[in-house]
């Protein structure tokens, strides 16, 4: 059993993403309690998921996953069908909630709709941002699907959750070609040129590009990097960023506060909301997509 004392040694204090809380009201818990990686009823499950992730997510592994998934040959379905399929999934890396992901999709979208009623594409991103987790229903272990992401092929930086205790068995940790600050990359090469740990962010981004969905670039960045907490909430890996990444960072941070702080056990009326969000799907991601 992984003890709370050990967890306290592994953590770095309050998550800096708390600074990006939106003006949202919640009756279920204080907003300062989100992303608590030190204690709670789900903490053992969360730690074990990250331990597997940080042991197995190597550069070679990520390259193989790009080969396995980027051709979008696993299924064909519409976006709403994919969202509702997440009723079968509870994210094992999430310390905040223990209910199916489809509810979180509508919670996030509705939070954005309230604050950004003029940006329908932003609302849609809130709805669909996690549906890459469908990989877990098709056989991928959750440690290759969920959780915070980080670059592979360079030094694992301190903003990664459980950094000190979970990379000890990752072979890239001792590979001198990969464990320098830049590793296989050049300074300011841009995140488009960086290989991230494999998960639902990168997969959904690839699905959107493959199917020629028309979500604006800002929305695609939100999809691709919303789980990259070491970057958008801790300030790590800035040496790999170019001007485009710096321009997009405020958009990712704006999205993050709705992704994180709309979580509540008060579940939305999904059936009532479906027609509105289907209209957004029809506008930006119409028809049957390849996955």
């Amino acid at each position: 059993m992984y003890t709370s004392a050990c967890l306290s040694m592994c953590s770095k204090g309050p998550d800096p993403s708390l600074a990006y809380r939106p003006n949202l009201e919640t009756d279920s818990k204080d907003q300062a309690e989100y992303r608590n990686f030190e204690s709670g009823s789900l903490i053992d499950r969360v730690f074990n998921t990250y331990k597997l992730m940080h042991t197995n997510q190597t550069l070679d592994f990520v390259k193989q996953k790009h080969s396995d998934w980027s051709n979008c040959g696993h299924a064909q379905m519409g976006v709403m069908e994919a969202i509702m399929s997440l009723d079968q999934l509870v994210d094992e890396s999430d310390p905040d909630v223990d209910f199916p992901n489809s509810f979180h999709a509508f919670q996030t979208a509705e939070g954005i709709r309230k604050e950004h009623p003029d940006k329908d594409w932003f609302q849609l991103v809130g709805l669909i941002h996690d549906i890459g987790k469908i990989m877990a229903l098709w056989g991928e272990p959750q440690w290759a699907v969920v959780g915070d992401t980080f670059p592979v092929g360079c030094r694992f930086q301190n903003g990664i959750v459980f950094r000190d205790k979970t990379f000890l068995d990752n072979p890239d940790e001792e590979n001198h070609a990969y464990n320098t600050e830049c590793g296989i990359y050049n300074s300011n090469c841009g995140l488009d040129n960086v290989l991230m740990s494999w998960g639902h962010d990168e997969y959904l981004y690839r699905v959107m590009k493959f199917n020629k969905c028309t979500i604006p670039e800002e929305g695609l960045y939100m999809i691709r990097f919303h789980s990259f907490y070491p970057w958008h909430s801790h300030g790590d890996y800035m040496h790999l960023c170019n001007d485009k990444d710096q321009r997009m960072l405020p958009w990712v941070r704006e999205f993050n506060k709705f992704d994180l702080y709309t979580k509540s056990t008060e579940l939305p009326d999904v059936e009532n909301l479906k027609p509105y969000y289907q209209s957004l799907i029809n506008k930006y991601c119409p028809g049957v997509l390849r996955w």
Side-chain angles (χ1 to χ4, degrees):
M1 185 71 67
Y2 197 74
T3 66
S4 58
C6 186
L7 284 163
S8 295
M9 292 197 311
C10 296
S11 67
K12 300 294 180 182
D15 194 299
S17 61
L18 298 175
Y20 308 121
R21 289 197 300 265
N23 244 341
L24 298 174
E25 296 179 0
T26 175
D27 297 326
S28 59
K29 63 195 258 186
D30 189 273
Q31 290 177 343
E33 296 175 24
Y34 287 95
R35 282 182 64 81
N36 178 356
F37 290 104
E38 295 186 8
S39 61
S41 61
L42 306 175
I43 196 63
D44 291 319
R45 183 190 74 182
V46 171
F47 176 79
N48 290 333
T49 301
Y50 275 105
K51 179 66 166 67
L52 288 167
M53 179 196 303
H54 294 167
T55 297
N56 294 292
Q57 290 264 7
T58 64
L59 180 63
D60 288 343
F61 175 84
V62 169
K63 288 179 177 179
Q64 182 60 52
K65 291 301 152 185
H66 275 271
S67 176
D68 292 345
W69 290 96
S70 293
N71 66 347
C72 296
H74 288 79
Q76 297 186 44
M77 70 179 76
V79 168
M80 189 63 76
E81 182 182 356
I83 292 167
M84 300 316 297
S85 74
L86 295 182
D87 278 340
Q88 305 171 60
L89 176 69
V90 173
D91 186 333
E92 295 175 356
S93 73
D94 195 330
D96 296 321
V97 295
D98 198 20
F99 53 78
N101 264 244
S102 63
F103 290 108
H104 171 57
F106 285 94
Q107 287 174 333
T108 306
E110 283 293 279
I112 295 168
R113 185 181 178 186
K114 179 180 177 181
E115 298 291 322
H116 296 280
D118 59 327
K119 294 182 175 63
D120 61 355
W121 60 267
F122 192 0
Q123 299 162 27
L124 179 63
V125 168
L127 184 74
I128 70 173
H129 71 282
D130 272 348
I131 55 177
K133 293 178 183 180
I134 200 169
M135 288 188 294
L137 305 181
W138 296 334
E140 280 292 347
Q142 285 215 20
W143 56 261
V145 175
V146 302
D148 295 3
T149 58
F150 52 90
V152 294
C154 62
R155 179 182 298 144
F156 304 122
Q157 295 199 357
N158 290 335
I160 302 173
V161 65
F162 304 131
R163 167 64 181 94
D164 295 339
K165 297 293 183 180
T166 52
F167 284 94
L168 300 177
D169 296 321
N170 186 312
D172 288 2
E173 176 88 316
E174 303 301 323
N175 188 320
H176 296 305
Y178 305 154
N179 65 12
T180 62
E181 185 175 54
C182 287
I184 65 173
Y185 310 110
N186 297 317
S187 294
N188 308 119
C189 62
L191 295 181
D192 282 336
N193 298 306
V194 171
L195 285 170
M196 302 294 296
S197 57
W198 183 254
H200 68 282
D201 296 39
E202 184 68 25
Y203 174 56
L204 182 59
Y205 170 77
R206 297 280 168 174
V207 169
M208 294 292 102
K209 296 291 282 188
F210 185 93
N211 289 280
K212 297 181 171 57
C213 298
T214 58
I215 292 170
E217 185 70 17
E218 293 86 353
L220 293 176
Y221 247 71
M222 295 171 184
I223 288 169
R224 196 177 194 183
F225 297 115
H226 69 271
S227 300
F228 189 10
Y229 277 86
W231 174 57
H232 64 65
S233 294
H234 294 254
D236 284 347
Y237 297 102
M238 291 297 180
H239 61 285
L240 299 179
C241 295
N242 60 17
D243 290 342
K244 177 183 177 182
D245 302 320
Q246 296 288 357
R247 291 195 309 272
M248 293 294 170
L249 179 56
W251 285 102
V252 178
R253 285 175 170 166
E254 180 66 10
F255 172 79
N256 171 251
K257 65 190 185 184
F258 296 101
D259 179 20
L260 189 55
Y261 301 110
T262 55
K263 294 173 181 176
S264 168
T265 54
E266 185 177 338
L267 303 181
D269 184 348
V270 169
E271 290 305 314
N272 186 52
L273 294 173
K274 272 185 180 181
Y276 173 73
Y277 286 103
Q278 185 62 56
S279 73
L280 303 190
I281 292 168
N282 294 343
K283 181 176 179 180
Y284 293 101
C285 309
V288 175
L289 305 189
R290 288 183 57 183
W291 298 80

